[in-house]
Amino acid sequence: MIMEPELLAAVTKALQDHLGLEVKINDIQLLSEADRRNRIARLFLSLGNNGMRSVIFKQSLSDRNQETTDDDILARFARDSAGLKFLNGSDINHSIPKFLGANQNFRFILLEDLGNNHISLVDSLTKSDPDKAVAALKRFTKSLAHFDMASYGRINEYDELLASAHPKRETLEERIKWNEEDLIPKLELICNNFDIAFTNEVKQDAINVIKMILSPGDFYALTHVDICPDNVCDHEDKDKTSAD
C-alpha cells in the first residue's frame, strides 16, 4: 500500500506527538478491502531508540454504497476517536487497544496493534460443537454488559471527548427532528395503505415514541452500535471477546 505524502506526514507527526519519539514508517500492510468505508492498515515502525513495533491505522472514508457527506465521515471519525479514548480510561472486560493518536483533517485514528491471533466470533458460532457456540455467546454478552457498565454514570466524559473531535455534531433536538421528518410521513403512508385513520392522536403518539427512544433515560450508557459477529473477536482462552 502506498500512502499519500501529506497523509504519511500527518500520521508520522501524530505518532511522534503521542509517543514522544522520532518515528519512521518502514512499511504499510493494507488490511481492509478497497470498497470499504474505512481504510485499515498495519504500519510497521522504527522508533528513535531503534525499537520496532507495529500500529493500526484506521481512516474514515466515503461510503461508496450510499450517499455520504463530509459531515457523515467526520461523525464516524469522531465516534471512533472519542470511543477509543473513553474506553482507554475505563475498567472494562475487553481487550481494548491503546489510543496512539488521531487527525481530524484526515479523519484517521491510530491504535495499538493487538496482533494477528484473533478468532472471529463467526468462527466460534459456526463450529460443530453447540456447547462451544453457547459458551462464545455467553462471553459475548458478558463483554457487552461490562462495556455498558463501564460507561454508566460517565457519559459526560464521553460527550466532552466527542465534542472535542466534532464540535458541530448533531444535537439531540436535531436527531429527534430528523427522525420525525423521516418517519412520520412513512407512518402516514402505511396507515393510508391499510385504511387506518392517521389522526393527530396517532401522529402525536408516534412523535412521543421517537422522543422516548432517543432521549436519555435512567439506564443511559454507551453501547456497541454494530454487534454483528464478524465485528467481534472471540478469545476463548481469556474468557472474553473484543470489539473491532
Side-chain angles (χ1 to χ4, degrees):
M1 169 185 169
I2 298 176
M3 190 175 284
E4 300 85 348
E6 296 83 1
L7 176 58
L8 185 64
V11 171
T12 302
K13 183 178 187 307
L15 287 168
Q16 291 181 160
D17 289 347
H18 185 84
L19 299 173
L21 297 169
E22 183 179 352
V23 173
K24 180 181 179 182
I25 300 175
N26 296 321
D27 196 12
I28 303 173
Q29 176 189 10
L30 184 64
L31 301 177
S32 57
E33 299 173 359
D35 59 345
R36 299 302 292 259
R37 67 177 188 174
N38 293 309
R39 179 161 57 167
I40 301 174
R42 176 175 282 117
L43 312 181
F44 296 92
L45 316 175
S46 60
L47 307 178
N49 58 359
N50 295 322
M52 302 291 293
R53 69 180 296 182
S54 60
V55 301
I56 298 298
F57 162 91
K58 180 180 181 181
Q59 184 181 30
S60 298
L61 303 172
S62 175
D63 191 337
R64 299 181 183 182
N65 296 319
Q66 61 186 34
E67 185 176 345
T68 307
T69 66
D70 185 64
D71 194 63
D72 294 331
I73 301 171
L74 177 58
R76 280 193 281 115
F77 156 80
R79 289 193 296 269
D80 281 348
S81 177
L84 186 58
K85 284 182 178 179
F86 178 81
L87 292 174
N88 269 214
S90 303
D91 181 14
I92 184 171
N93 188 37
H94 274 57
S95 298
I96 300 298
K98 295 178 181 177
F99 174 83
L100 300 175
N103 183 289
Q104 188 182 78
N105 291 332
F106 287 98
R107 315 289 199 250
F108 70 74
I109 62 170
L110 299 160
L111 51 152
E112 177 188 9
D113 186 356
L114 296 178
N116 291 313
N117 188 26
H118 296 295
I119 299 174
S120 170
L121 183 59
V122 173
D123 297 328
S124 298
L125 296 179
T126 54
K127 291 178 179 177
S128 58
D129 189 337
D131 291 336
K132 286 188 176 294
V134 171
L137 281 176
K138 288 182 177 179
R139 285 191 294 274
F140 182 38
T141 54
K142 179 181 176 182
S143 291
L144 288 178
H146 276 271
F147 184 94
D148 294 338
M149 290 165 58
S151 65
Y152 181 73
R154 298 178 53 218
I155 293 295
N156 287 341
E157 297 176 36
Y158 171 78
D159 285 341
E160 289 175 2
L161 291 170
L162 187 62
S164 176
H166 189 5
K168 296 182 180 180
R169 69 196 186 286
E170 182 183 47
T171 65
L172 175 61
E173 292 74 19
E174 290 170 337
R175 192 177 308 123
I176 290 173
K177 181 181 178 182
W178 185 91
N179 276 274
E180 289 179 2
E181 293 175 349
D182 179 58
L183 297 176
I184 298 301
K186 293 177 181 177
L187 176 61
E188 183 176 10
L189 180 61
I190 292 172
C191 287
N192 292 337
N193 288 340
F194 287 92
D195 294 325
I196 300 172
F198 186 71
T199 64
N200 287 332
E201 289 77 10
V202 171
K203 179 179 179 179
Q204 189 57 52
D205 282 347
I207 291 174
N208 290 339
V209 169
I210 291 171
K211 290 180 178 178
M212 183 183 300
I213 291 174
L214 295 178
S215 298
D218 293 337
F219 301 100
Y220 189 35
L222 293 182
T223 188
H224 195 302
V225 297
D226 191 357
I227 58 173
C228 293
D230 60 352
N231 281 338
V232 178
C233 294
D234 183 38
H235 301 273
E236 182 178 0
D237 58 329
K238 299 179 181 179
D239 191 34
K240 63 178 67 175
T241 60
S242 61
D244 287 353

